[in-house]
Amino acid sequence: MSTTLTGIPAARTARPRMLRGLTWLVLRQHRTTLFCILALVVLGSLWIVYQRAQLTDALTAAGWPEKTVPQPVVGGAYSQLTSLLGLLPVALAVLFGAPLIAADQEQGTAQLVSTQSVTRRRWVAAKLGWCLLITLVACSALSAVFTWWWRPHRSVLPDVWMDTSVFDATGPVLPALALFLTAVGFTVGILVRRVLASMVITLVACVAAKVAWSVLRVHLVAPRTLTFPLDAEFPSRLDDAYEVDRWVASADGQLYGWGSCAEATEKATNACVEKLGLVDNVHEFFEYDQMAAMQWTGAGVLLAGTAVLTAFALWWASRRSL
């Protein structure tokens, strides 16, 4: 046992072997943030479990699935939950990622650490590693619990599977998106070196990234096409599909816009159809069985972006004075 300068034995703090040294220091520095995120995961998971139980009771009372139930059968809590899950990646990026290194740069902690026995790269790597690990665990847990609720009841919930509120909150997308936006946050923080400015810029960057992601989603896999006669009933296959585009087609396969013969009277419409020789409806769409492929492909893109930003942050930190 070590002693102090006064000769009084100093108490040795016991801690797990894996949390010693730099790892323990980083975790201790961010313990408040860690506890807040863990509390958010626990409370959020309990909320989801409670809402699922309420939904199950309501469906059972209504005789589902033997009987059809009207949509939606859930109250405002469902919309609040999906909105919060959608905001979670942005909140982690702004409140956790952006200040991660920027706060140390602004307060001078970064300069102090660089005078110790660890290199800047090792110190930054430890902080980024814990940041990404916490983000991954938290968002994976919430995504798993929400997916467990949504998947068996998707036909009676108000949002369809391709809506942002569902697509970005289920499967691998939520953790992958959170990791990418958090990486955007700490990269901005390292470059800007000021907490408030980093948080503002990160918020703007996250909004832009979310817009770009919403555009990219429909290009992750190839859509399918279905052709059926102009006067036929609407195929049930398209009831749960996400429509990309639709046309009307002539016998020779020439495509025209859906409203090409939207005339004022039925007689004029029939004349237009006859003139153009229209015989078929053509729909381009995504089906539910493509959702998993779209999500995992998108998650791969986001994780690749996370890796690039993390590598850049480490490279910048090792070559620039923090």
Side-chain angles (χ1 to χ4, degrees):
M1 180 178 296
S2 61
T3 59
T4 64
L5 294 177
T6 60
I8 301 175
R12 180 174 297 174
T13 304
R15 52 182 177 268
R17 183 178 298 274
M18 65 174 294
L19 295 181
R20 292 181 178 179
L22 185 59
T23 303
W24 176 82
L25 177 63
V26 170
L27 183 60
R28 181 173 176 79
Q29 182 185 12
H30 298 286
R31 62 187 181 278
T32 301
T33 302
L34 174 61
F35 292 149
C36 289
I37 293 177
L38 291 179
L40 175 65
V41 172
V42 172
L43 293 176
S45 298
L46 291 175
W47 188 17
I48 294 172
V49 171
Y50 173 73
Q51 292 297 324
R52 187 183 191 273
Q54 282 199 321
L55 175 62
T56 303
D57 291 343
L59 293 177
T60 301
W64 184 86
E66 288 76 14
K67 295 182 180 180
T68 302
V69 297
Q71 285 188 336
V73 296
V74 291
Y78 177 84
S79 298
Q80 294 171 6
L81 175 62
T82 53
S83 298
L84 290 175
L85 288 176
L87 291 174
L88 180 60
V90 177
L92 289 174
V94 174
L95 302 177
F96 186 27
L100 185 70
I101 306 296
D104 291 341
Q105 293 173 317
E106 189 173 75
Q107 297 167 6
T109 308
Q111 288 77 10
L112 176 62
V113 170
S114 63
T115 65
Q116 306 304 308
S117 59
V118 297
T119 63
R120 288 198 303 267
R121 175 181 291 182
R122 185 182 168 197
W123 172 68
V124 173
K127 290 181 72 78
L128 299 190
W130 271 107
C131 175
L132 294 176
L133 179 61
I134 293 169
T135 301
L136 175 62
V137 171
C139 293
S140 295
L142 288 173
S143 176
V145 178
F146 182 73
T147 303
W148 165 75
W149 173 20
W150 175 82
R151 188 163 287 161
H153 302 112
R154 64 184 183 87
S155 62
V156 295
L157 291 173
D159 296 326
V160 300
W161 64 271
M162 194 61 175
D163 287 350
T164 300
S165 57
V166 171
F167 190 92
D168 291 355
T170 56
V173 178
L174 181 62
L177 185 59
L179 287 173
F180 176 73
L181 295 184
T182 301
V184 170
F186 61 62
T187 302
V188 170
I190 289 176
L191 295 175
V192 176
R193 304 166 66 95
R194 293 292 181 269
V195 174
L196 183 58
S198 298
M199 294 173 71
V200 173
I201 295 173
T202 298
L203 178 59
V204 174
C206 287
V207 172
K210 294 265 288 186
V211 172
W213 169 247
S214 66
V215 175
L216 175 64
R217 282 193 300 126
V218 296
H219 300 287
L220 294 173
V221 299
R224 295 168 178 171
T225 302
L226 178 65
T227 301
F228 56 96
L230 201 63
D231 56 353
E233 293 185 2
F234 194 78
S236 58
R237 178 182 176 183
L238 298 177
D239 291 344
D240 195 29
Y242 175 80
E243 182 180 299
V244 178
D245 206 346
R246 63 169 69 180
W247 304 273
V248 286
S250 59
D252 60 359
Q254 179 67 37
L255 298 178
Y256 298 89
W258 178 256
S260 296
C261 288
E263 305 294 341
T265 64
E266 183 178 355
K267 182 178 181 180
T269 297
N270 293 335
C272 175
V273 169
E274 185 176 349
K275 177 181 177 181
L276 297 179
L278 303 180
V279 294
D280 290 323
N281 290 299
V282 181
H283 281 243
E284 189 177 65
F285 60 98
F286 293 110
E287 287 187 281
Y288 174 66
D289 63 3
Q290 295 177 282
M291 182 181 184
M294 296 176 73
Q295 288 186 316
W296 282 105
T297 301
V301 173
L302 293 170
L303 292 176
T306 302
V308 170
L309 289 174
T310 304
F312 172 79
L314 290 172
W315 171 82
W316 186 271
S318 65
R319 286 165 173 74
R320 301 280 178 166
S321 175
L322 293 176

